[in-house]
Amino acid sequence: MITLNTSAFARRPDFGAIVGVIMMFAVFSLIDFSGWWSGSTLGNILQFTAILGCMSIGQAIVIMAKEIDLSVGSVYGLTGIAFITLEADLGVPGAIIAAMAIAGGIGFLQAMAVIKGKIPSMIVTLGGLFAVRGLIYVWTGGSVRSLPAESRAHWLTQLFGGELFGIEAAILWTAGLMVVLSLVIWRMKFGNRLLATGGDENTALSQGIRTDRVKIRAFVLCSLLAGFAAILTLADKPQTHVTLGDLMELEAIAAAVIGGCLLSGGRGSLLGAVLGAFIITGVRYELISLGAPASWYISFVGLVLIVALIFNQSLIRWAGNRA
Amino acid sequence: MSVTPMNKNAPLIEVRNLDLHFGAFHALKNVSVSFDSGQLIGLVGDNGAGKTTLIKVLSGIHKPNSGEVYFAGKRVKEFHPKLAIKFGIETIQQSVGLCDNLSIARNFYLGREPVKRWFGIPFLDFKKMRDASTKVIRTFGLRENVSADDQVEMLSGGERQSIKIGRAVEFKNRVVIMDEPTNHLSVREREHVNELAQQLRDQGLLVIYITHDIHQVHKLADRIVIMENGEKVTDVAKDEMTADELEEVIRCGGRVVDTSKEVEPS
Amino acid sequence: MKWLASIKTGLAIAGIALTATTAVAQEPEEYRFVMVSHIGSNDPNMKWLTMAMEEFEKKYPNVTTEYVSSNQYSVQELVRLLDQTIASRPDGIAVPIVSRDALEGPIRRAIDSGIPVVAFNIPDSRPERERIPYMTYVGGDEYLTGYKTGQYAIEKAEAGEVPMPEHVVCAMIAAEHEGLRERCRGIEEAVAEVGATTEYLFTGADPATFRSNLQAYLSSHPESNYILNMGDFTAPWSWQVANELGMSPDVDDEGMTILAVGIGPIGLSGLKEGHLLVASEQGFWLQGYIPFEWLYWYHELGYEAQSDIITGPIMVDTTNIEKFDPLSKAVFGSGSEDSSAWQ
């Protein structure tokens, strides 16, 4: 599929993100070599990238279907809180299954509102963002317990939150999910139909594709991935709060867009989404390290997003001219 | 799905007393018409005459309010594009049918992707997808340098129509509905598409060719059906009326003015 | 028309005089006070206030108090609740000034129609001449909370229990929150007296984001030796990050020292186990009690508070945990024995 042709390579949706990561490494090596290359810096950035990346993979899938999901931060929060809270009664495996079922259920409900209710996903999932966060407060009464020691030692908790070959489990899980889901998107029926649905819904319909089902699957997958990101987080660090996932939806969407997902649908990359998460996390981390004033990095995430969009646009044009 | 048993002598598509409303708009008024295999039908009418609505019923996009549709003698009860495709009805529209964001090979098999199992997992069979679409690219006269992996957005209007027609042939469809297939095409491309339409008919398919250019379709068609204000007003074999006479019919709001001309009853 | 108005006034005065005399003759006047709050039943802190109000009713049987709040917190919702409350003509209102722009109109209307208003929990931070003319403010003081915490740390450092502050990280969970900024300003000015500097670090409130941001800062600023947490729930996160970086975050005479604002099981268990030096409490219980005292005596004797009534901070450390344990149990369901957050 991919030839070693420069312009074909540049036409990859994630080309901008790949260049961005290279540039980020170059710039930070130049201005803060010892800080950037220290094990704890890259380890911390990768750990957080794994969590944000897991969410942004789901977001990328929804954006490819020309929809958006603003509720992922709250779904991440509710799934994590559900895991911790239900663990007392259901045990670790039961709590994980129940929490993921809650996540998937929310994705399904939102998808039904978008498809059957014919309400734009922007509105439905904005409602979801607030409603799910409200649910967290009502359910927990504002304070959340932590996992008892024996549950932390449970093999399943260790599988999601421990380390393997000295690498944090979350990093391996997100990398694995990215590879598997990339195969699903680019090498399987579902992906072909998802890209068609997002690229040109009327055409997809005319070729007999049940675009409603494709979108439902995309929304459910997105919520499941957001929920799974919370399991990855809490299996590692179970001390949490009702603020779990606060504002993370914005970073997840930004990561997907930096990674080359077009909001006009049908184009995107899961690798790009994870690299986008890496760029956001890396830039934020280094800004704080270098002593940028507090709360600057929020503006900076916005700035990175705009620069990435302009960069991606000009890349597409450049590649188009060379073809 | 079928209630009436298969009837060999039945027309391929038969429509009886079809009525369809969009709110207050009466889009189809008691339309009855039948089409046989191996025919090229010219479906003609002004904008809003109901011809596109009729074919949208046939391709499963709209469900009629009342009336019946039979396919090869079988009563059609459900309307969905997926079912129309199952029956072998392919609709070729100018603006719909190919996703710009996908390669030719991916578009070609959209909705009926071939798979090859690796360790039991059904992956897309890219070799088959590429081979079939490359064959069409070569047979249907696309530029030499176009490959199956190219994005559709790089193709010209005529090339797109050729791919859609090639796809209809490849999947052994029984009915090909062409909705204004030559709009926005160059003269040369237009002739090419029209030739392809005739080839499909010669292969025994039913071709329904929708246009408002009566002169163009008169040259190709075996039969001309004219619609006006949601009604079928004329249904004649090609030799029964000249293109000019038919044009007169359309110009006068679908009413046959010259009563000396015999109009085939529907 | 003037004579008509005066007749009306005369009648009204006569009416009031009549009811007043009968009231005195029978029993003490009945009062109804309403607390319109931004703290809903989904927030355990509501219990501090409702517990105090029950206590108040026991002491003053002729007073009924009502607690009005909604679970869906928004300024608009609070304004709506306040409007409804004013319409029910209570004898006094206590309300937090969550937004001075949104609340100024309704509160002025209440005062103009003769309902006394006391602000609680959040004041109108403008100078007294410009602010909403409520009778008084009862609650904590954000600046003082930061300042006293800083002073506490210096005292303990002088006693040799902990290192002297050199560089304080004020871990702000929300960038736009004015109150949090005031707390940071408080500790900044307190520790400046011993030559220490303060960073206002925006950490975010999500635990993973908080940890990532704090680690980014601490690993590039190893001179940091104090972290002020804006709620006790972020204290264990700070402790863990510092611990992973090998900064010795427990309460001892070396490395990092953790401070917090607010108490609950997390804060109390942190103090008990020596992870946390101090956690301040803003006198929450009193905020559900004192406003009604002033409303009551305003009606009975015409008293009016002449300055704000600051209920906190109260410094909670190992010496007075046992006083707060029962309160924590009553409000949050558990106290210092629940140390799961610190494992």
Side-chain angles (χ1 to χ4, degrees):
Chain A
M1 268 289 277
I2 300 144
T3 50
L4 281 173
N5 172 324
T6 46
S7 78
F9 188 69
R11 252 195 316 265
R12 287 174 61 105
D14 48 21
F15 182 65
I18 294 170
V19 174
V21 168
I22 295 168
M23 274 167 45
M24 186 170 83
F25 267 89
V27 170
F28 289 153
S29 298
L30 216 65
I31 56 178
D32 181 28
F33 187 86
S34 59
W36 174 250
W37 287 102
S38 83
S40 82
T41 299
L42 280 176
N44 182 293
I45 292 174
L46 283 176
Q47 165 87 3
F48 192 82
T49 299
I51 294 162
L52 184 60
C54 188
M55 290 171 94
S56 58
I57 289 173
Q59 192 65 243
I61 291 172
V62 168
I63 293 176
M64 281 181 195
K66 206 179 176 179
E67 299 289 346
I68 197 142
D69 189 348
L70 298 174
S71 71
V72 287
S74 297
V75 170
Y76 169 92
L78 182 64
T79 312
I81 302 282
F83 167 52
I84 296 273
T85 311
L86 296 175
E87 188 274 337
D89 293 323
L90 304 178
V92 174
I96 289 179
I97 292 168
M100 291 298 285
I102 289 172
I106 292 169
F108 182 75
L109 284 178
Q110 294 191 132
M112 293 310 274
V114 170
I115 287 150
K116 301 285 176 205
K118 303 207 188 308
I119 309 166
S121 52
M122 182 88 90
I123 307 294
V124 169
T125 58
L126 183 66
L129 186 159
F130 289 112
V132 173
R133 182 64 62 191
L135 211 59
I136 294 174
Y137 278 94
V138 171
W139 189 7
T140 61
S143 55
V144 191
R145 61 190 277 274
S146 191
L147 280 186
E150 64 270 27
S151 303
R152 282 177 214 186
H154 192 279
W155 64 270
L156 208 51
T157 318
Q158 288 303 309
L159 183 66
F160 294 126
E163 283 187 5
L164 204 68
F165 316 119
I167 302 168
E168 294 280 353
I171 297 171
L172 298 175
W173 277 103
T174 295
L177 279 170
M178 187 196 78
V179 171
V180 169
L181 288 171
S182 291
L183 282 175
V184 171
I185 299 288
W186 298 108
R187 298 288 155 125
M188 289 174 79
K189 275 187 188 180
F190 171 70
N192 208 39
R193 294 171 181 193
L194 176 85
L195 293 165
T197 301
D200 185 348
E201 188 166 357
N202 284 330
T203 291
L205 272 173
S206 79
Q207 295 310 111
I209 293 171
R210 292 271 164 114
T211 55
D212 46 354
R213 292 186 192 167
V214 171
K215 288 187 175 182
I216 290 171
R217 283 183 201 170
F219 275 111
V220 171
L221 208 52
C222 179
S223 290
L224 284 176
L225 284 162
F228 189 65
I231 304 280
L232 290 178
T233 310
L234 295 187
D236 182 39
K237 298 236 160 53
Q239 301 80 11
T240 188
H241 193 62
V242 288
T243 49
L244 183 66
D246 192 42
L247 294 179
M248 276 179 80
E249 56 282 337
L250 297 179
E251 291 194 348
I253 293 167
V257 171
I258 291 171
C261 291
L262 295 189
L263 294 175
S264 51
R267 199 179 144 93
S269 153
L270 305 189
L271 173 68
V274 174
L275 293 180
F278 185 61
I279 291 174
I280 289 176
T281 314
V283 166
R284 186 181 67 196
Y285 195 99
E286 271 302 293
L287 272 183
I288 293 171
S289 276
L290 295 171
S295 74
W296 250 49
Y297 84 78
I298 307 178
S299 324
F300 213 86
V301 169
L303 207 63
V304 168
L305 188 64
I306 294 165
V307 171
L309 280 180
I310 295 169
F311 188 58
N312 280 344
Q313 286 292 327
S314 39
L315 267 179
I316 290 169
R317 239 171 278 134
W318 175 77
N321 290 340
R322 282 177 58 106
Chain B
M1 209 171 352
S2 63
V3 270
T4 325
M6 184 92 165
N7 183 348
K8 282 260 173 358
N9 300 320
L12 188 55
I13 292 179
E14 189 178 1
V15 165
R16 286 187 204 155
N17 312 103
L18 216 54
D19 243 64
L20 182 60
H21 300 262
F22 295 115
F25 178 60
H26 202 164
L28 291 178
K29 297 172 190 159
N30 199 27
V31 175
S32 296
V33 69
S34 62
F35 305 117
D36 292 315
S37 299
Q39 281 198 327
L40 200 162
I41 314 286
L43 184 56
V44 191
D46 277 336
N47 289 334
K51 52 192 196 314
T52 302
T53 311
L54 176 62
I55 62 115
K56 279 191 172 167
V57 172
L58 298 183
S59 56
I61 295 167
H62 292 322
K63 188 181 188 314
N65 296 106
S66 66
E68 292 141 30
V69 177
Y70 295 88
F71 187 79
K74 283 189 277 184
R75 171 94 188 263
V76 178
K77 294 197 142 180
E78 267 187 281
F79 290 84
H80 191 276
K82 201 172 178 86
L83 293 171
I85 287 167
K86 222 163 149 188
F87 287 142
I89 301 173
E90 176 94 16
T91 308
I92 294 169
Q93 283 168 281
Q94 185 73 42
S95 58
V96 181
L98 296 174
C99 291
D100 274 4
N101 59 320
L102 297 179
S103 70
I104 297 172
R106 281 174 174 273
N107 262 295
F108 202 80
Y109 278 97
L110 194 56
R112 43 197 155 196
E113 298 86 351
V115 292
K116 201 172 177 181
R117 288 181 182 273
W118 291 83
F119 306 106
I121 304 161
F123 286 108
L124 292 178
D125 187 348
F126 276 109
K127 188 175 176 323
K128 187 173 174 189
M129 288 163 69
R130 220 172 278 146
D131 289 350
S133 40
T134 307
K135 198 181 86 192
V136 169
I137 290 168
R138 298 294 156 248
T139 327
F140 285 77
L142 270 73
R143 279 169 291 157
E144 276 301 305
N145 59 350
V146 173
S147 99
D149 289 329
D150 283 339
Q151 305 282 111
V152 164
E153 61 192 353
M154 301 167 72
L155 300 181
S156 75
E159 286 171 332
R160 286 165 190 240
Q161 295 301 66
S162 302
I163 300 250
K164 293 178 203 167
I165 295 166
R167 179 165 63 185
V169 176
E170 179 69 21
F171 290 110
K172 309 221 170 10
N173 280 310
R174 302 164 76 180
V175 183
V176 176
I177 301 169
M178 303 170 94
D179 191 358
E180 309 270 5
T182 57
N183 272 8
H184 316 300
L185 296 191
S186 68
V187 177
R188 204 183 58 79
E189 282 184 325
R190 191 179 302 167
E191 279 170 8
H192 182 66
V193 168
N194 287 344
E195 266 168 41
L196 292 177
Q198 285 172 307
Q199 279 176 25
L200 294 180
R201 185 253 328 263
D202 296 343
Q203 287 171 19
L205 276 71
L206 163 61
V207 180
I208 303 174
Y209 191 111
I210 299 164
T211 180
H212 45 246
D213 183 348
I214 183 70
H215 289 276
Q216 197 196 140
V217 80
H218 195 265
K219 279 182 247 162
L220 311 170
D222 304 305
R223 212 172 112 204
I224 308 280
V225 175
I226 299 178
M227 292 191 69
E228 194 62 51
N229 291 324
E231 289 176 87
K232 185 181 88 172
V233 291
T234 306
D235 187 346
V236 292
K238 173 197 188 151
D239 355 321
E240 289 177 55
M241 288 172 91
T242 66
D244 288 333
E245 287 166 340
L246 285 165
E247 191 173 28
E248 186 65 18
V249 171
I250 298 165
R251 208 168 51 79
C252 299
R255 300 284 157 238
V256 181
V257 265
D258 188 352
T259 43
S260 67
K261 292 277 183 293
E262 194 195 332
V263 177
E264 188 188 83
S266 51
Chain C
M1 294 295 274
K2 205 176 177 186
W3 57 273
L4 192 68
S6 54
I7 286 179
K8 269 186 178 169
T9 328
L11 282 174
I13 289 168
I16 290 167
L18 206 66
T19 48
T21 41
T22 48
V24 168
Q26 288 166 355
E27 51 190 69
E29 187 127 14
E30 297 282 330
Y31 299 114
R32 186 172 70 91
F33 299 142
V34 182
M35 178 169 266
V36 182
S37 175
H38 61 312
I39 299 166
S41 60
N42 50 25
D43 185 340
N45 284 309
M46 182 181 109
K47 286 230 182 76
W48 296 108
L49 303 168
T50 51
M51 272 163 42
M53 286 162 73
E54 277 168 33
E55 203 63 30
F56 187 87
E57 282 186 340
K58 269 187 230 159
K59 194 171 167 194
Y60 299 96
N62 57 331
V63 175
T64 47
T65 60
E66 284 169 31
Y67 188 88
V68 181
S69 74
S70 76
N71 276 340
Q72 205 64 31
Y73 168 68
S74 74
V75 174
Q76 285 82 355
E77 184 65 13
L78 192 82
V79 170
R80 198 180 61 77
L81 291 174
L82 182 59
D83 281 334
Q84 282 176 1
T85 304
I86 294 169
S88 76
R89 307 285 313 151
D91 299 299
I93 295 173
V95 63
I97 314 301
V98 289
S99 159
R100 57 195 187 210
D101 296 332
L103 291 175
E104 176 137 25
I107 292 177
R108 279 186 185 276
R109 218 169 337 110
I111 294 168
D112 290 346
S113 64
I115 304 170
V117 176
V118 173
F120 81 99
N121 197 256
I122 305 170
D124 181 344
S125 55
R126 291 174 291 189
E128 196 164 344
R129 285 168 164 229
E130 295 163 31
R131 76 182 193 187
I132 305 171
Y134 49 68
M135 186 202 295
T136 184
Y137 163 72
V138 180
D141 182 294
E142 302 282 19
Y143 174 84
L144 214 56
T145 298
Y147 191 80
K148 290 283 178 190
T149 306
Q151 279 192 330
Y152 179 94
I154 294 168
E155 264 173 46
K156 292 289 167 186
E158 280 164 351
E161 292 174 36
V162 286
M164 191 54 89
E166 285 166 24
H167 186 66
V168 179
V169 179
C170 191
M172 291 176 63
I173 47 178
E176 71 285 359
H177 195 309
E178 192 54 40
L180 302 187
R181 206 165 275 281
E182 279 295 292
R183 286 182 203 170
C184 293
R185 200 169 64 82
I187 197 164
E188 182 178 32
E189 293 189 3
V191 299
E193 289 163 21
V194 293
T197 50
T198 300
E199 172 77 20
Y200 296 25
L201 180 70
F202 175 59
T203 52
D206 167 69
T209 314
F210 182 98
R211 289 194 187 97
S212 175
N213 288 344
L214 185 62
Q215 194 194 329
Y217 188 80
L218 291 184
S219 47
S220 58
H221 296 81
E223 73 278 16
S224 314
N225 68 344
Y226 275 83
I227 302 170
L228 177 61
N229 292 278
M230 296 294 130
D232 66 341
F233 63 91
T234 73
W237 310 341
S238 299
W239 184 87
Q240 279 163 353
V241 170
N243 196 37
E244 277 165 21
L245 292 171
M247 297 177 98
S248 171
D250 278 332
V251 178
D252 49 28
D253 57 0
E254 52 159 12
M256 176 64 74
T257 306
I258 311 285
L259 313 167
V261 175
I263 61 148
I266 299 174
L268 292 175
S269 60
L271 291 168
K272 196 176 181 182
E273 304 205 339
H275 302 306
L276 195 55
L277 177 65
V278 66
S280 64
E281 204 270 304
Q282 55 168 308
F284 235 133
W285 193 93
L286 278 180
Q287 294 175 25
Y289 191 90
I290 300 214
F292 301 116
E293 283 278 1
W294 278 101
L295 291 172
Y296 183 79
W297 293 111
Y298 169 81
H299 281 289
E300 290 283 308
L301 302 173
Y303 280 9
E304 284 193 58
Q306 291 306 310
S307 72
D308 289 347
I309 296 148
I310 301 305
T311 56
I314 297 116
M315 293 297 144
V316 183
D317 59 16
T318 46
T319 61
N320 56 352
I321 286 182
E322 72 286 351
K323 284 242 175 8
F324 285 87
D325 246 352
L327 268 176
S328 174
K329 281 205 184 79
V331 173
F332 302 102
S334 56
S336 61
E337 77 288 348
D338 178 8
S339 63
S340 60
W342 295 90
Q343 281 159 13

